[in-house]
Protein backbone atom coordinates (compact mmCIF):
# COMPACT_ATOMS: atom_id res chain seq x y z
CA UNK A 1 0.00 0.00 0.00
CA UNK A 2 1.42 3.29 -1.03
CA UNK A 3 1.75 5.90 1.62
CA UNK A 4 1.83 9.62 0.77
CA UNK A 5 5.24 11.23 0.83
CA UNK A 6 5.36 13.52 3.84
CA UNK A 7 7.77 15.91 2.05
CA UNK A 8 5.36 16.77 -0.75
CA UNK A 9 2.33 18.88 0.11
CA UNK A 10 -0.30 20.35 -2.14
CA UNK A 11 -0.24 24.18 -2.23
CA UNK A 12 -3.68 25.61 -2.25
CA UNK A 13 -4.20 28.35 -4.89
CA UNK A 14 -4.23 31.88 -3.58
CA UNK A 15 -7.72 33.25 -3.51
CA UNK A 16 -8.24 36.12 -5.96
CA UNK A 17 -8.36 39.61 -4.59
CA UNK A 18 -11.55 41.50 -4.38
CA UNK A 19 -10.51 43.81 -7.24
CA UNK A 20 -9.87 40.90 -9.61
CA UNK A 21 -13.13 39.28 -8.57
CA UNK A 22 -15.05 42.45 -9.38
CA UNK A 23 -13.35 42.83 -12.77
CA UNK A 24 -14.01 39.17 -13.61
CA UNK A 25 -17.75 39.66 -13.12
CA UNK A 26 -17.73 42.69 -15.43
CA UNK A 27 -17.04 40.46 -18.40
CA UNK A 28 -13.33 41.08 -18.79
CA UNK A 29 -11.53 37.84 -19.73
CA UNK A 30 -9.46 36.31 -16.95
CA UNK A 31 -6.46 35.98 -19.26
CA UNK A 32 -6.34 39.74 -19.59
CA UNK A 33 -6.01 40.06 -15.83
CA UNK A 34 -3.04 37.68 -15.73
CA UNK A 35 -1.28 39.35 -18.71
CA UNK A 36 1.97 41.04 -17.83
CA UNK A 37 3.12 44.14 -19.79
CA UNK A 38 6.13 43.85 -22.06
CA UNK A 39 8.04 46.07 -24.46
CA UNK A 40 6.49 46.57 -27.92
CA UNK A 41 8.09 45.04 -30.94
CA UNK A 42 10.76 46.75 -32.99
CA UNK A 43 8.32 48.03 -35.61
CA UNK A 44 5.98 49.40 -32.97
CA UNK A 45 8.83 51.20 -31.26
CA UNK A 46 9.82 52.85 -34.56
CA UNK A 47 6.25 53.87 -35.29
CA UNK A 48 5.60 55.29 -31.82
CA UNK A 49 8.87 57.20 -31.71
CA UNK A 50 8.33 58.80 -35.12
CA UNK A 51 4.70 59.76 -34.55
CA UNK A 52 5.35 61.09 -31.05
CA UNK A 53 8.31 63.16 -32.29
CA UNK A 54 6.33 64.66 -35.18
CA UNK A 55 3.30 65.33 -33.00
CA UNK A 56 5.42 66.86 -30.28
CA UNK A 57 7.23 69.13 -32.74
CA UNK A 58 3.90 70.26 -34.21
CA UNK A 59 2.43 71.00 -30.77
CA UNK A 60 5.56 72.90 -29.76
CA UNK A 61 5.44 75.02 -32.94
CA UNK A 62 1.79 75.97 -32.51
CA UNK A 63 2.33 76.77 -28.84
CA UNK A 64 5.21 79.06 -29.76
CA UNK A 65 3.01 80.73 -32.38
CA UNK A 66 0.42 81.59 -29.77
CA UNK A 67 3.06 82.77 -27.30
CA UNK A 68 4.82 85.08 -29.81
CA UNK A 69 1.54 86.49 -31.07
CA UNK A 70 0.27 87.18 -27.55
CA UNK A 71 3.57 88.76 -26.54
CA UNK A 72 3.41 91.40 -29.29
CA UNK A 73 -0.29 91.97 -28.66
CA UNK A 74 0.49 92.74 -25.03
CA UNK A 75 3.14 95.25 -26.15
CA UNK A 76 0.73 97.34 -28.23
CA UNK A 77 -2.67 96.86 -26.56
CA UNK A 78 -2.12 99.88 -24.31
CA UNK A 79 -2.17 102.09 -27.38
CA UNK A 80 -5.45 100.53 -28.48
CA UNK A 81 -7.06 101.33 -25.12
CA UNK A 82 -6.34 105.06 -25.29
CA UNK A 83 -9.57 107.15 -25.40
CA UNK A 84 -10.19 109.26 -28.52
CA UNK A 85 -12.78 111.74 -29.66
CA UNK A 86 -15.93 110.42 -31.33
CA UNK A 87 -15.24 112.32 -34.58
CA UNK A 88 -11.49 111.71 -34.55
CA UNK A 89 -10.06 109.64 -37.36
CA UNK A 90 -8.00 106.66 -36.23
CA UNK A 91 -4.60 106.02 -37.65
CA UNK A 92 -5.06 104.27 -40.97
CA UNK A 93 -2.68 102.39 -43.25
CA UNK A 94 -3.05 101.15 -46.79
CA UNK A 95 -2.12 97.53 -47.52
CA UNK A 96 -1.14 96.53 -51.05
CA UNK A 97 -0.94 92.91 -52.14
CA UNK A 98 -0.09 92.06 -55.75
CA UNK A 99 -0.75 88.76 -57.45
CA UNK A 100 2.02 86.23 -56.92
CA UNK A 101 3.41 85.09 -60.30
CA UNK A 102 2.16 81.63 -61.19
CA UNK A 103 -0.64 81.44 -58.59
CA UNK A 104 -4.26 81.78 -59.66
CA UNK A 105 -5.29 82.84 -56.15
CA UNK A 106 -4.49 86.54 -56.27
CA UNK A 107 -5.28 87.04 -52.56
CA UNK A 108 -2.33 85.10 -51.15
CA UNK A 109 -0.45 88.27 -50.16
CA UNK A 110 -3.44 89.79 -48.36
CA UNK A 111 -4.16 86.44 -46.66
CA UNK A 112 -0.62 86.51 -45.29
CA UNK A 113 -1.27 90.00 -43.93
CA UNK A 114 -4.58 89.00 -42.32
CA UNK A 115 -3.02 85.99 -40.63
CA UNK A 116 0.25 87.39 -39.30
CA UNK A 117 0.22 91.22 -39.33
CA UNK A 118 -3.43 92.15 -38.82
CA UNK A 119 -3.72 90.88 -35.18
CA UNK A 120 -1.03 93.34 -34.06
CA UNK A 121 -2.70 96.28 -35.83
CA UNK A 122 -6.11 95.36 -34.43
CA UNK A 123 -4.70 95.22 -30.90
CA UNK A 124 -3.21 98.70 -31.41
CA UNK A 125 -6.48 100.11 -32.89
CA UNK A 126 -4.84 100.85 -36.26
CA UNK A 127 -7.29 100.88 -39.15
CA UNK A 128 -6.30 99.51 -42.54
CA UNK A 129 -7.52 99.30 -46.12
CA UNK A 130 -6.75 96.21 -48.20
CA UNK A 131 -6.06 96.56 -51.92
CA UNK A 132 -5.44 93.38 -53.92
CA UNK A 133 -4.30 93.12 -57.52
CA UNK A 134 -6.21 90.49 -59.49
CA UNK A 135 -3.80 90.55 -62.44
CA UNK A 136 -0.28 91.75 -63.12
CA UNK A 137 -0.10 95.54 -63.11
CA UNK A 138 -3.36 96.18 -61.24
CA UNK A 139 -1.61 97.59 -58.17
CA UNK A 140 0.52 99.88 -60.36
CA UNK A 141 -2.58 101.23 -62.12
CA UNK A 142 -4.43 101.79 -58.83
CA UNK A 143 -1.49 103.66 -57.30
CA UNK A 144 -1.02 105.82 -60.42
CA UNK A 145 -4.74 106.67 -60.66
CA UNK A 146 -4.90 107.58 -56.95
CA UNK A 147 -1.91 109.92 -57.27
CA UNK A 148 -3.33 111.49 -60.42
CA UNK A 149 -6.65 112.19 -58.68
CA UNK A 150 -4.91 113.86 -55.74
CA UNK A 151 -2.81 115.97 -58.08
CA UNK A 152 -5.94 117.14 -59.90
CA UNK A 153 -7.58 118.10 -56.61
CA UNK A 154 -4.50 119.88 -55.27
CA UNK A 155 -4.09 121.87 -58.50
CA UNK A 156 -7.77 122.82 -58.67
CA UNK A 157 -8.57 120.83 -61.80
CA UNK A 158 -11.23 118.83 -59.93
CA UNK A 159 -12.69 121.08 -57.21
CA UNK A 160 -14.17 119.51 -54.11
CA UNK A 161 -18.01 119.49 -54.21
CA UNK A 162 -19.69 121.98 -51.90
CA UNK A 163 -21.91 119.26 -50.41
CA UNK A 164 -18.83 117.38 -49.21
CA UNK A 165 -17.63 120.46 -47.32
CA UNK A 166 -20.85 120.59 -45.29
CA UNK A 167 -20.34 117.14 -43.77
CA UNK A 168 -19.15 117.03 -40.14
CA UNK A 169 -16.34 114.61 -41.07
CA UNK A 170 -14.97 116.88 -43.81
CA UNK A 171 -11.32 117.80 -43.61
CA UNK A 172 -9.36 120.04 -45.97
CA UNK A 173 -6.84 118.39 -48.30
CA UNK A 174 -3.98 119.67 -46.14
CA UNK A 175 -5.30 117.88 -43.07
CA UNK A 176 -5.98 114.73 -45.11
CA UNK A 177 -2.39 114.71 -46.35
CA UNK A 178 -1.14 115.15 -42.79
CA UNK A 179 -3.37 112.32 -41.59
CA UNK A 180 -2.08 110.01 -44.34
CA UNK A 181 1.51 110.73 -43.30
CA UNK A 182 0.68 109.57 -39.78
CA UNK A 183 -0.43 106.23 -41.18
CA UNK A 184 1.68 104.21 -43.54
CA UNK A 185 1.76 101.92 -46.56
CA UNK A 186 2.22 98.16 -46.18
CA UNK A 187 3.96 96.37 -49.06
CA UNK A 188 3.52 92.57 -49.05
CA UNK A 189 6.27 90.84 -51.04
CA UNK A 190 8.61 91.88 -53.82
CA UNK A 191 6.04 91.79 -56.69
CA UNK A 192 3.98 94.33 -54.77
CA UNK A 193 7.03 96.56 -54.27
CA UNK A 194 7.77 96.55 -58.00
CA UNK A 195 4.21 97.43 -58.92
CA UNK A 196 3.94 100.10 -56.22
CA UNK A 197 7.13 101.86 -57.31
CA UNK A 198 6.12 101.67 -60.98
CA UNK A 199 2.71 103.17 -60.18
CA UNK A 200 4.30 105.82 -57.97
CA UNK A 201 6.55 107.00 -60.79
CA UNK A 202 3.77 106.84 -63.36
CA UNK A 203 1.39 108.84 -61.18
CA UNK A 204 3.91 111.64 -60.64
CA UNK A 205 5.15 111.66 -64.26
CA UNK A 206 2.16 111.17 -66.57
CA UNK A 207 -0.09 114.11 -67.53
CA UNK A 208 -3.19 114.90 -65.51
CA UNK A 209 -5.64 114.12 -68.32
CA UNK A 210 -8.22 111.41 -67.69
CA UNK A 211 -7.53 108.86 -70.41
CA UNK A 212 -10.10 106.25 -71.39
CA UNK A 213 -7.86 103.30 -72.24
CA UNK A 214 -10.68 101.38 -73.88
CA UNK A 215 -11.46 104.27 -76.21
CA UNK A 216 -7.80 104.67 -77.12
CA UNK A 217 -7.51 100.95 -77.85
CA UNK A 218 -10.72 100.96 -79.89
CA UNK A 219 -9.38 103.81 -81.99
CA UNK A 220 -6.18 101.85 -82.53
CA UNK A 221 -7.94 98.60 -83.47
CA UNK A 222 -10.18 100.25 -86.04
CA UNK A 223 -7.40 100.57 -88.57
CA UNK A 224 -5.87 97.08 -88.37
CA UNK A 225 -8.25 95.62 -90.98
CA UNK A 226 -9.41 92.49 -89.17
CA UNK A 227 -13.08 93.47 -89.51
CA UNK A 228 -12.86 94.89 -93.04
CA UNK A 229 -15.16 93.53 -95.73
CA UNK A 230 -13.41 91.01 -98.02
CA UNK A 231 -13.15 91.99 -101.69
CA UNK A 232 -15.41 89.90 -103.92
CA UNK A 233 -13.96 89.02 -107.34
CA UNK A 234 -16.05 89.88 -110.40
CA UNK A 235 -17.78 86.95 -112.21
CA UNK A 236 -17.72 88.70 -115.62
CA UNK A 237 -14.51 87.70 -117.43
CA UNK A 238 -14.92 90.51 -119.94
CA UNK A 239 -14.38 93.08 -117.25
CA UNK A 240 -10.67 93.62 -116.96
CA UNK A 241 -9.40 94.36 -113.50
CA UNK A 242 -8.46 97.98 -113.46
CA UNK A 243 -6.18 99.72 -111.12
CA UNK A 244 -7.13 99.25 -107.47
CA UNK A 245 -8.80 102.34 -106.13
CA UNK A 246 -7.94 103.13 -102.56
CA UNK A 247 -9.78 105.48 -100.34
CA UNK A 248 -7.88 108.55 -99.24
CA UNK A 249 -6.03 108.02 -96.00
CA UNK A 250 -7.00 109.80 -92.84
CA UNK A 251 -3.76 111.76 -92.85
CA UNK A 252 -4.22 113.11 -96.39
CA UNK A 253 -7.97 113.60 -96.37
CA UNK A 254 -9.72 113.82 -93.03
CA UNK A 255 -13.07 114.12 -94.77
CA UNK A 256 -13.14 110.40 -95.62
CA UNK A 257 -11.56 109.22 -92.40
CA UNK A 258 -13.81 106.77 -90.51
CA UNK A 259 -12.92 108.50 -87.28
CA UNK A 260 -13.84 111.91 -88.65
CA UNK A 261 -17.08 110.61 -90.16
CA UNK A 262 -18.11 109.06 -86.84
CA UNK A 263 -17.02 111.87 -84.54
CA UNK A 264 -16.09 115.23 -86.03
CA UNK A 265 -14.82 116.43 -82.67
CA UNK A 266 -12.25 113.67 -82.25
CA UNK A 267 -9.34 116.01 -82.83
CA UNK A 268 -10.61 118.36 -80.17
CA UNK A 269 -11.03 115.50 -77.70
CA UNK A 270 -7.39 114.61 -78.02
CA UNK A 271 -6.33 118.08 -76.98
CA UNK A 272 -5.77 118.61 -73.29
CA UNK A 273 -8.03 121.08 -71.51
CA UNK A 274 -5.51 121.51 -68.68
CA UNK A 275 -3.06 124.41 -68.97
CA UNK A 276 0.47 123.40 -69.86
CA UNK A 277 1.83 125.29 -66.87
CA UNK A 278 0.34 122.76 -64.44
CA UNK A 279 0.11 119.70 -66.69
CA UNK A 280 3.79 118.89 -66.24
CA UNK A 281 5.55 116.51 -63.83
CA UNK A 282 6.53 118.31 -60.60
CA UNK A 283 10.21 118.79 -59.87
CA UNK A 284 9.76 117.59 -56.29
CA UNK A 285 7.39 115.09 -54.76
CA UNK A 286 5.64 115.69 -51.45
CA UNK A 287 6.37 113.23 -48.64
CA UNK A 288 4.83 109.79 -49.02
CA UNK A 289 3.59 107.81 -45.99
CA UNK A 290 6.34 105.51 -44.68
CA UNK A 291 6.60 102.08 -46.25
CA UNK A 292 6.42 98.85 -44.27
CA UNK A 293 8.20 96.16 -46.28
CA UNK A 294 6.87 92.71 -45.31
CA UNK A 295 8.76 89.76 -46.83
CA UNK A 296 6.50 87.16 -48.41
CA UNK A 297 7.21 84.04 -50.45
CA UNK A 298 4.47 81.85 -51.90
CA UNK A 299 5.76 78.35 -52.62
CA UNK A 300 3.77 76.55 -55.32
CA UNK A 301 4.49 73.56 -57.50
CA UNK A 302 5.37 69.90 -56.93
CA UNK A 303 9.09 70.59 -56.67
CA UNK A 304 8.50 72.91 -53.68
CA UNK A 305 6.37 70.49 -51.64
CA UNK A 306 9.26 69.66 -49.22
CA UNK A 307 9.62 73.37 -48.46
CA UNK A 308 5.86 73.63 -47.89
CA UNK A 309 6.03 70.74 -45.39
CA UNK A 310 8.94 72.36 -43.57
CA UNK A 311 7.06 75.67 -43.38
CA UNK A 312 3.95 73.91 -42.04
CA UNK A 313 5.99 72.66 -39.08
CA UNK A 314 7.71 76.03 -38.57
CA UNK A 315 4.89 78.56 -38.61
CA UNK A 316 6.46 80.32 -35.64
CA UNK A 317 9.02 81.97 -37.93
CA UNK A 318 6.27 83.53 -40.07
CA UNK A 319 4.33 84.55 -36.96
CA UNK A 320 7.44 86.24 -35.58
CA UNK A 321 8.19 88.02 -38.88
CA UNK A 322 4.60 89.26 -39.22
CA UNK A 323 4.40 90.36 -35.59
CA UNK A 324 7.69 92.24 -35.82
CA UNK A 325 6.49 93.98 -38.98
CA UNK A 326 3.25 95.02 -37.31
CA UNK A 327 5.14 96.23 -34.24
CA UNK A 328 7.43 98.40 -36.42
CA UNK A 329 4.38 100.06 -37.91
CA UNK A 330 2.68 100.63 -34.54
CA UNK A 331 5.81 102.13 -32.95
CA UNK A 332 6.07 104.46 -35.99
CA UNK A 333 9.87 104.64 -36.14
CA UNK A 334 11.11 105.29 -39.70
CA UNK A 335 14.27 106.23 -41.58
CA UNK A 336 14.97 107.66 -45.05
CA UNK A 337 15.03 105.15 -47.88
CA UNK A 338 18.42 103.88 -49.03
CA UNK A 339 18.54 104.74 -52.76
CA UNK A 340 20.22 102.49 -55.31
CA UNK A 341 23.84 103.14 -56.19
CA UNK A 342 24.68 104.45 -59.63
CA UNK A 343 26.15 101.87 -61.96
CA UNK A 344 29.64 102.79 -63.17
CA UNK A 345 29.85 103.38 -66.90
CA UNK A 346 32.95 102.09 -68.61
CA UNK A 347 34.21 103.05 -72.02
CA UNK A 348 34.36 99.48 -73.31
CA UNK A 349 31.29 98.13 -71.56
CA UNK A 350 30.17 96.26 -74.67
CA UNK A 351 33.31 94.09 -74.88
CA UNK A 352 34.37 93.82 -71.24
CA UNK A 353 33.06 91.25 -68.81
CA UNK A 354 30.23 92.48 -66.57
CA UNK A 355 31.26 93.49 -63.08
CA UNK A 356 29.54 92.59 -59.85
CA UNK A 357 25.96 93.74 -59.46
CA UNK A 358 25.55 97.15 -57.92
CA UNK A 359 23.60 97.37 -54.67
CA UNK A 360 20.08 98.72 -55.07
CA UNK A 361 19.71 99.66 -51.40
CA UNK A 362 16.22 99.12 -50.07
CA UNK A 363 15.05 98.21 -53.57
CA UNK A 364 16.79 94.83 -53.13
CA UNK A 365 14.09 93.96 -50.57
CA UNK A 366 13.11 90.25 -50.68
CA UNK A 367 15.03 89.73 -53.90
CA UNK A 368 15.79 86.11 -53.05
CA UNK A 369 12.07 85.30 -53.31
CA UNK A 370 12.22 85.63 -57.10
CA UNK A 371 14.22 82.42 -57.41
CA UNK A 372 11.11 80.49 -56.34
CA UNK A 373 9.10 81.60 -59.38
CA UNK A 374 7.90 78.77 -61.59
CA UNK A 375 10.06 78.07 -64.63
CA UNK A 376 7.01 78.17 -66.90
CA UNK A 377 6.72 81.93 -66.32
CA UNK A 378 9.62 82.45 -68.71
CA UNK A 379 7.15 81.64 -71.51
CA UNK A 380 4.45 83.98 -70.24
CA UNK A 381 4.76 86.51 -73.07
CA UNK A 382 5.12 83.87 -75.78
CA UNK A 383 2.01 82.04 -74.54
CA UNK A 384 -0.02 85.22 -74.77
CA UNK A 385 1.25 85.81 -78.29
CA UNK A 386 0.37 82.23 -79.21
CA UNK A 387 -3.17 82.69 -77.85
CA UNK A 388 -3.50 85.94 -79.80
CA UNK A 389 -2.41 84.32 -83.08
CA UNK A 390 -4.80 81.42 -82.55
CA UNK A 391 -7.67 83.81 -81.92
CA UNK A 392 -7.01 85.85 -85.04
CA UNK A 393 -6.67 82.68 -87.13
CA UNK A 394 -10.19 81.63 -86.14
CA UNK A 395 -11.69 85.12 -86.35
CA UNK A 396 -12.33 85.26 -90.15
CA UNK A 397 -14.48 82.12 -90.09
CA UNK A 398 -16.53 83.33 -87.13
CA UNK A 399 -16.92 86.76 -88.72
CA UNK A 400 -18.02 85.28 -92.05
CA UNK A 401 -20.64 83.12 -90.30
CA UNK A 402 -21.98 86.10 -88.35
CA UNK A 403 -22.30 88.24 -91.49
CA UNK A 404 -23.95 85.47 -93.53
CA UNK A 405 -26.60 84.89 -90.88
CA UNK A 406 -27.17 88.62 -90.31
CA UNK A 407 -27.62 89.34 -94.05
CA UNK A 408 -29.75 86.27 -94.74
CA UNK A 409 -27.31 84.77 -97.20
CA UNK A 410 -28.07 81.29 -95.86
CA UNK A 411 -30.30 79.65 -93.32
CA UNK A 412 -28.81 78.70 -89.94
CA UNK A 413 -28.04 75.06 -89.38
CA UNK A 414 -29.61 72.95 -86.66
CA UNK A 415 -26.55 73.38 -84.46
CA UNK A 416 -26.55 77.15 -85.02
CA UNK A 417 -30.23 77.28 -84.05
CA UNK A 418 -29.55 75.46 -80.78
CA UNK A 419 -26.33 77.39 -80.11
CA UNK A 420 -26.45 80.73 -81.93
CA UNK A 421 -23.00 81.92 -82.99
CA UNK A 422 -21.84 85.36 -81.83
CA UNK A 423 -22.86 88.35 -83.89
CA UNK A 424 -20.42 90.84 -85.37
CA UNK A 425 -21.07 93.26 -82.50
CA UNK A 426 -20.32 90.52 -79.98
CA UNK A 427 -17.16 89.57 -81.84
CA UNK A 428 -15.95 93.16 -81.72
CA UNK A 429 -16.68 93.38 -78.00
CA UNK A 430 -14.95 90.05 -77.38
CA UNK A 431 -11.91 91.16 -79.33
CA UNK A 432 -11.73 94.41 -77.39
CA UNK A 433 -11.90 92.51 -74.09
CA UNK A 434 -9.21 90.03 -75.10
CA UNK A 435 -6.83 92.67 -76.46
CA UNK A 436 -7.23 94.77 -73.35
CA UNK A 437 -6.47 91.80 -71.11
CA UNK A 438 -3.52 90.62 -73.20
CA UNK A 439 -1.87 94.01 -73.30
CA UNK A 440 -2.36 94.65 -69.60
CA UNK A 441 -0.97 91.23 -68.71
CA UNK A 442 2.14 91.78 -70.82
CA UNK A 443 2.67 95.29 -69.42
CA UNK A 444 2.17 94.03 -65.87
CA UNK A 445 4.55 91.10 -66.36
CA UNK A 446 7.19 93.47 -67.67
CA UNK A 447 7.04 95.19 -64.27
CA UNK A 448 7.28 92.13 -61.98
CA UNK A 449 9.47 89.75 -63.99
CA UNK A 450 12.78 88.85 -62.29
CA UNK A 451 14.91 90.48 -64.98
CA UNK A 452 13.28 93.87 -64.36
CA UNK A 453 14.67 96.07 -61.60
CA UNK A 454 12.51 98.10 -59.26
CA UNK A 455 11.62 101.45 -60.83
CA UNK A 456 13.44 104.39 -59.29
CA UNK A 457 13.24 108.15 -59.64
CA UNK A 458 15.62 110.60 -58.00
CA UNK A 459 12.60 112.57 -56.79
CA UNK A 460 11.83 109.66 -54.43
CA UNK A 461 15.06 110.21 -52.51
CA UNK A 462 13.62 112.79 -50.11
CA UNK A 463 9.99 111.63 -50.28
CA UNK A 464 10.16 107.98 -49.18
CA UNK A 465 10.81 106.60 -45.72
CA UNK A 466 10.97 103.02 -44.42
CA UNK A 467 9.66 101.72 -41.09
CA UNK A 468 12.58 100.40 -39.09
CA UNK A 469 13.04 98.29 -35.97
CA UNK A 470 12.52 99.88 -32.58
CA UNK A 471 14.65 97.84 -30.19
CA UNK A 472 13.75 97.83 -26.53
CA UNK A 473 14.21 95.48 -23.60
CA UNK A 474 10.77 93.90 -23.92
CA UNK A 475 11.25 92.91 -27.56
CA UNK A 476 14.88 91.86 -27.29
CA UNK A 477 14.08 89.56 -24.36
CA UNK A 478 11.66 87.52 -26.48
Amino acid sequence: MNTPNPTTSTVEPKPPSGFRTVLRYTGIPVSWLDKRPKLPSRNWLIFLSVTSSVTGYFIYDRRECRRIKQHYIDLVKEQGNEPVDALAWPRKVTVYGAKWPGDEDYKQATKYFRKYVKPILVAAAVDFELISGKRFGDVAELVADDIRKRRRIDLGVDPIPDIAKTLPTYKPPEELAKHRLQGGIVIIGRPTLKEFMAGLKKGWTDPLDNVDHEEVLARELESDGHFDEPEEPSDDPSVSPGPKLTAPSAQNSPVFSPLQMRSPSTSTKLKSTIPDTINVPPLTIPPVPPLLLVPFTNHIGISQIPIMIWEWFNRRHEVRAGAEAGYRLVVNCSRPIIPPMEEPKTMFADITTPQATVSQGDLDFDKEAEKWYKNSLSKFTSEIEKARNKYYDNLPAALATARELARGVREPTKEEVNNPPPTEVELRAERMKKELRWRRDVAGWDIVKPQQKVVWDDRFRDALRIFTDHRDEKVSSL
Side-chain angles (χ1 to χ4, degrees):
M1 183 176 181
N2 296 332
T3 59
N5 190 359
T7 59
T8 61
S9 61
T10 59
V11 180
E12 296 181 358
K14 188 178 181 180
S17 63
F19 180 72
R20 293 171 62 89
T21 304
V22 172
L23 292 179
R24 184 177 61 183
Y25 285 106
T26 58
I28 299 177
V30 179
S31 60
W32 286 21
L33 303 178
D34 298 333
K35 194 174 184 64
R36 294 183 177 181
K38 63 179 181 179
L39 289 176
S41 64
R42 171 179 171 272
N43 294 338
W44 271 106
L45 286 175
I46 295 174
F47 171 76
L48 292 176
S49 61
V50 171
T51 53
S52 60
S53 299
V54 173
T55 305
Y57 190 77
F58 173 79
I59 295 174
Y60 165 76
D61 178 73
R62 294 306 186 265
R63 185 180 61 185
E64 285 294 302
C65 291
R66 292 191 295 268
R67 185 183 68 85
I68 295 171
K69 177 180 176 182
Q70 188 61 41
H71 176 80
Y72 280 93
I73 290 177
D74 294 339
L75 291 178
V76 302
K77 66 180 181 181
E78 295 181 359
Q79 180 175 341
N81 295 330
E82 295 179 357
V84 295
D85 185 56
L87 296 179
W89 287 10
R91 186 182 175 193
K92 186 175 182 180
V93 298
T94 305
V95 183
Y96 291 102
K99 177 185 177 183
W100 183 265
D103 196 346
E104 295 300 328
D105 188 2
Y106 62 89
K107 292 185 177 181
Q108 286 296 328
T110 54
K111 288 180 180 178
Y112 181 89
F113 168 82
R114 288 180 179 274
K115 190 173 183 180
Y116 300 114
V117 185
K118 174 186 172 182
I120 312 302
L121 302 186
V122 172
V126 177
D127 194 8
F128 60 89
E129 178 186 3
L130 281 177
I131 299 177
S132 301
K134 296 183 178 180
R135 309 188 72 87
F136 295 142
D138 284 357
V139 173
E141 289 294 332
L142 291 173
V143 172
D145 292 342
D146 184 62
I147 294 175
R148 191 180 300 109
K149 291 178 182 178
R150 294 178 184 176
R151 289 175 58 193
R152 292 174 65 93
I153 294 175
D154 294 340
L155 296 175
V157 179
D158 293 336
I160 301 176
D162 295 335
I163 190 173
K165 298 179 180 179
T166 59
L167 298 177
T169 58
Y170 169 76
K171 288 187 178 182
E174 296 79 9
E175 295 187 14
L176 290 177
K178 185 178 180 180
H179 180 263
R180 283 193 294 266
L181 291 178
Q182 295 175 356
I185 297 175
V186 182
I187 306 295
I188 309 294
R190 185 167 180 81
T192 309
L193 175 64
K194 286 188 172 182
E195 292 199 25
F196 176 80
M197 296 298 291
L200 194 66
K201 182 176 181 180
K202 183 178 180 181
W204 288 106
T205 305
D206 288 357
L208 298 175
D209 303 282
N210 292 325
V211 180
D212 189 350
H213 299 284
E214 294 186 3
E215 182 180 355
V216 173
L217 181 59
R219 193 177 294 119
E220 179 182 350
L221 296 179
E222 282 181 351
S223 58
D224 59 1
H226 285 288
F227 281 85
D228 292 347
E229 292 283 350
E231 296 183 359
E232 298 181 359
S234 177
D235 297 334
D236 189 0
S238 60
V239 179
S240 59
K244 185 178 180 180
L245 300 178
T246 59
S249 62
Q251 297 179 354
N252 299 331
S253 178
V255 177
F256 297 96
S257 171
L259 298 179
Q260 293 291 343
M261 293 172 64
R262 183 181 296 105
S263 178
S265 60
T266 301
S267 58
T268 60
K269 292 181 181 179
L270 297 177
K271 293 182 180 179
S272 175
T273 58
I274 304 175
D276 296 338
T277 55
I278 62 175
N279 197 11
V280 292
L283 298 178
T284 58
I285 294 177
V288 180
L291 306 182
L292 177 65
L293 304 180
V294 181
F296 167 68
T297 303
N298 184 20
H299 294 285
I300 54 178
I302 298 178
S303 61
Q304 301 183 29
I305 289 180
I307 303 177
M308 301 179 197
I309 297 176
W310 185 89
E311 288 185 344
W312 191 73
F313 283 101
N314 294 271
R315 293 295 188 192
R316 61 186 181 277
H317 301 301
E318 296 182 351
V319 173
R320 187 188 302 274
E324 289 178 353
Y327 184 73
R328 288 197 300 268
L329 189 145
V330 173
V331 174
N332 200 11
C333 182
S334 61
R335 59 167 174 81
I337 190 173
I338 302 176
M341 298 177 59
E342 297 183 0
E343 298 183 1
K345 298 180 180 179
T346 59
M347 184 178 301
F348 304 100
D350 54 343
I351 59 177
T352 57
T353 57
Q355 300 178 357
T357 56
V358 180
S359 174
Q360 298 294 312
D362 286 327
L363 302 186
D364 282 335
F365 157 75
D366 211 15
K367 190 175 182 180
E368 62 276 3
E370 294 181 339
K371 68 180 181 181
W372 300 111
Y373 290 177
K374 297 175 65 175
N375 296 330
S376 58
L377 291 172
S378 60
K379 303 178 182 179
F380 184 82
T381 305
S382 59
E383 289 178 355
I384 291 180
E385 190 63 27
K386 186 184 300 183
R388 178 187 278 112
N389 295 334
K390 182 179 180 181
Y391 171 77
Y392 281 113
D393 290 341
N394 300 330
L395 181 61
L399 186 60
T401 301
R403 287 173 175 172
E404 289 175 357
L405 296 178
R407 298 170 183 175
V409 176
R410 64 175 178 84
E411 293 294 331
T413 62
K414 184 177 180 181
E415 182 180 357
E416 292 174 348
V417 172
N418 297 330
N419 300 310
T423 62
E424 183 174 354
V425 176
E426 294 174 346
L427 289 175
R428 290 179 180 271
E430 180 187 14
R431 181 203 181 195
M432 170 69 67
K433 183 178 179 180
K434 288 180 176 293
E435 278 289 347
L436 200 63
R437 185 179 71 249
W438 288 332
R439 299 189 182 203
R440 286 180 176 177
D441 287 346
V442 172
W445 173 245
D446 290 339
I447 296 175
V448 302
K449 62 183 180 181
Q451 299 82 3
Q452 182 65 34
K453 296 181 180 179
V454 181
V455 177
W456 176 255
D457 194 322
D458 287 337
R459 296 176 295 174
F460 299 158
R461 191 181 301 270
D462 299 328
L464 295 180
R465 297 184 65 87
I466 306 294
F467 283 111
T468 185
D469 294 329
H470 179 75
R471 295 296 179 183
D472 54 18
E473 295 180 358
K474 296 181 180 180
V475 179
S476 59
S477 63
L478 180 62

